[in-house]
Amino acid sequence: MKQLKLTGFVIFLFFLTECLSLPTKPQDVGDFNITQKFIEDNVGYITIIAFAQYVQEASFEEVEMFAKTMTEYRDQCLANSKLPQCSKLANDALLEAICAMEGVPQKRNFSHCCNKDGFERRLCFFYNKKADVGFLPPLPTLDPEVKCQAYKNNSESFLSKYIYEVSRRHPFVFTPTLLTVMGRIEEMTKTCCEEQDKANCFRIKAVPVIQYLKAFSSFQKNVCGAFLRFGPTVVNSIYIAILSQKFPKTEFEELTSILEDVSSKYDGCCEGDAVQCIRGRSKLMSHICSKQDSISSKIKECCEKKIPERGECIIQRKDDKPQDLSLKEEKFTENKNVCEERNADQDTFMAKFLYEYSRRHQELSTPELLRIARVYDDLLRECCNTENPPDCYSTLENKFNETTEKSLKIVQRECEHFQNLGKDDLKYHYFIKFTKIAPQLSTDELTFLGEEMVTALLTCCTLSEEFACVDNLVDLVIGEICGVNGNRTINPAVDHCCKTNFAFRRHCFEALEADKTYVPPSASQGLFMFRTDLCQAHDEELQRKKDRFLVNLVKLKPELTDEELRSSLTEFTNLVDKCCKAEGPEACFNEEGPKLAAKNQAS
């Protein structure tokens, strides 16, 4: 796509009044102008991200058509800035333009959203996003030489097409993160196109970019799921725990002011408002950077970076705990006026508790800190209704330890699986487990979840901070199951875990068994019909087919034991090996496939 087609959106953005109030302080004005300049410089890519995330089925040609519509908006507003459409919120105007595209709402099945207005329309478009992107074609792969020539011929067109493909496959990832990914892709392309062995260079350098995207995608979906399901209070709690651990010398009052910016950021980012998300993130990071002395000495280097690298850098920093900070804050369990302080302002009191406990326990995971805060809140409510509250809440520290011990045992069991099972068997263990508890999920989703669990355990189970690492990453896997949309339903048991208590959903999932409401398909739906393309599949592709076979077998026969399912997978592997070596593979598959089917039907 030529940049000429996209520049119209620059002036269009200038004519929109944003819900963020205009800054008045000199430093804030400077930060606002820097952010506005960043939006101007990247407006084409921002347009593509917004459109591709809202209308994932849209073709690249339709994205170009949308850019043309934005240019027409520009012309209208240049001619008369007082026109009604020139004073709308950016996201509202953007969705209005999408709805006005001739034939597209009907063709791409979002016309029902266009029949709504304002907040209802935004919500409809949001709920129209699909996390499971199995309906999209495989991500296009280009020969390295072709890729480099395309970049050389028109780098903007190359990057536009790439960010379009990535955005439509990651509809909930925040715009600043996708722009960072695009920057890293460009950096990788420039480097690898100068190399002799371009293919190997791309293969190696793509790994950290993919890992970065997956990590931020999981975290952002998890927090947005919490935001949309439980409201801003839970998001604030998550960030109190994270920021207090990362920057433990920050005063509570300073932390509270940061949280105000966090709330406004997630309101825009989770909804998919690209412009507000960029401005909200920038405002938050500018706030943090303006208070380096009172927050952390380790973010100076980050604050010198440009948008959006500045934010990504700060997020990954961590400060040391002050040496004079005691392990226990007695005012929450030893103070005789605890109940009075709690009753005076419960939200602030609980925020202070979480802040003090988190900054003292950098070894704990974010979910565990939220569990302890929930235990304290529940038990304190009971204690404050007794005849002698101080006697009651003076023992609560023991309850905190019991909660952590229970969580620790779950992690230890998972790491024992890691130690005792090979990588493949570990993966099959989680394929079976997840498919039995949530068979309604697609095969692609279930294989993804199993692979993510394996990645979490491979990453964490040999580290000194094993507990926090595993608990944090597995919480993200649970976030993938629960999804972002608050109206997502899987089955009653899973829905209960996802919607009842954010802090304890991991414990809830641990207790789940096979879904009793699930009715498996009556026929095998071609599961045991094998084709000769299995013999042409390379190792990775053949492994994917084996993974899918196992998940689909669990869906078909959920009553089979783990041992029986693994035995059937072994028989499938042996069958493929046998038939691919036979003189007539097709005849072999036609003969052996029904035998395997009959055996599983009889089980």
Side-chain angles (χ1 to χ4, degrees), residues 242-243 245-248 296-303 305 310-320 362:
I242 291 173
L243 294 172
Q245 276 192 318
K246 282 182 173 293
F247 310 125
S296 173
S297 60
K298 295 192 175 183
I299 59 173
K300 185 176 185 298
E301 180 187 332
C302 298
C303 292
K305 293 180 180 290
R310 178 180 62 170
E312 312 292 358
C313 179
I314 290 172
I315 287 166
Q316 297 182 63
R317 284 289 189 267
K318 189 172 184 178
D319 218 340
D320 298 323
Q362 292 182 301

Side-chain angles (χ1 to χ4, degrees), residues 256-440:
T256 303
S257 67
I258 292 172
L259 289 175
E260 292 174 6
D261 289 336
V262 168
S263 295
S264 65
K265 167 195 163 183
Y266 272 93
D267 199 20
C269 292
C270 292
E271 189 181 293
D273 187 332
V275 173
Q276 188 184 344
C277 184
I278 292 169
R279 286 185 171 160
R281 162 77 78 85
S282 181
K283 184 181 177 185
L284 171 62
M285 297 309 163
S286 295
H287 183 154
I288 291 173
C289 287
S290 70
K291 301 290 180 66
Q292 290 181 53
D293 291 342
S294 59
I295 293 175
S296 173
S297 60
K298 295 192 175 183
I299 59 173
K300 185 176 185 298
E301 180 187 332
C302 298
C303 292
E304 292 171 354
K305 293 180 180 290
K306 295 180 180 179
I307 302 172
E309 288 85 358
R310 178 180 62 170
E312 312 292 358
C313 179
I314 290 172
I315 287 166
Q316 297 182 63
R317 284 289 189 267
K318 189 172 184 178
D319 218 340
D320 298 323
K321 185 169 68 174
Q323 292 183 348
D324 60 349
L325 194 62
S326 63
L327 193 61
K328 184 179 178 182
E329 177 51 90
E330 295 182 349
K331 69 181 179 182
F332 293 102
T333 54
E334 306 297 332
N335 180 5
K336 293 187 177 183
N337 300 319
V338 166
C339 293
E340 288 80 359
E341 291 179 15
R342 174 186 175 274
N343 293 338
D345 187 345
Q346 186 175 338
D347 289 343
T348 301
F349 179 84
M350 285 307 303
K352 284 182 177 178
F353 169 80
L354 183 56
Y355 157 77
E356 294 290 2
Y357 202 91
S358 300
R359 65 201 289 253
R360 285 167 165 77
H361 293 276
Q362 292 182 301
E363 78 283 0
L364 295 181
S365 64
T366 301
E368 185 60 22
L369 291 167
L370 298 184
R371 289 177 206 126
I372 288 167
R374 180 60 183 259
V375 167
Y376 181 64
D377 191 29
D378 289 346
L379 293 177
L380 194 57
R381 188 180 293 111
E382 294 177 15
C383 288
C384 290
N385 287 322
T386 63
E387 291 184 5
N388 193 337
D391 278 358
C392 178
Y393 57 67
S394 64
T395 62
L396 290 186
E397 197 76 37
N398 295 331
K399 296 293 184 182
F400 304 157
N401 295 334
E402 287 175 18
T403 304
T404 301
E405 190 62 32
K406 184 176 179 181
S407 301
L408 183 60
K409 285 180 179 177
I410 294 174
V411 168
Q412 286 172 339
R413 278 198 301 271
E414 286 164 339
C415 284
E416 282 174 11
H417 289 315
F418 164 76
Q419 299 291 346
N420 297 332
L421 300 172
K423 184 178 178 181
D424 284 343
D425 283 337
L426 185 66
K427 182 174 63 173
Y428 299 146
H429 167 80
Y430 286 108
F431 284 168
I432 294 169
K433 179 177 180 178
F434 286 133
T435 307
K436 285 193 173 186
I437 66 173
Q440 295 83 0

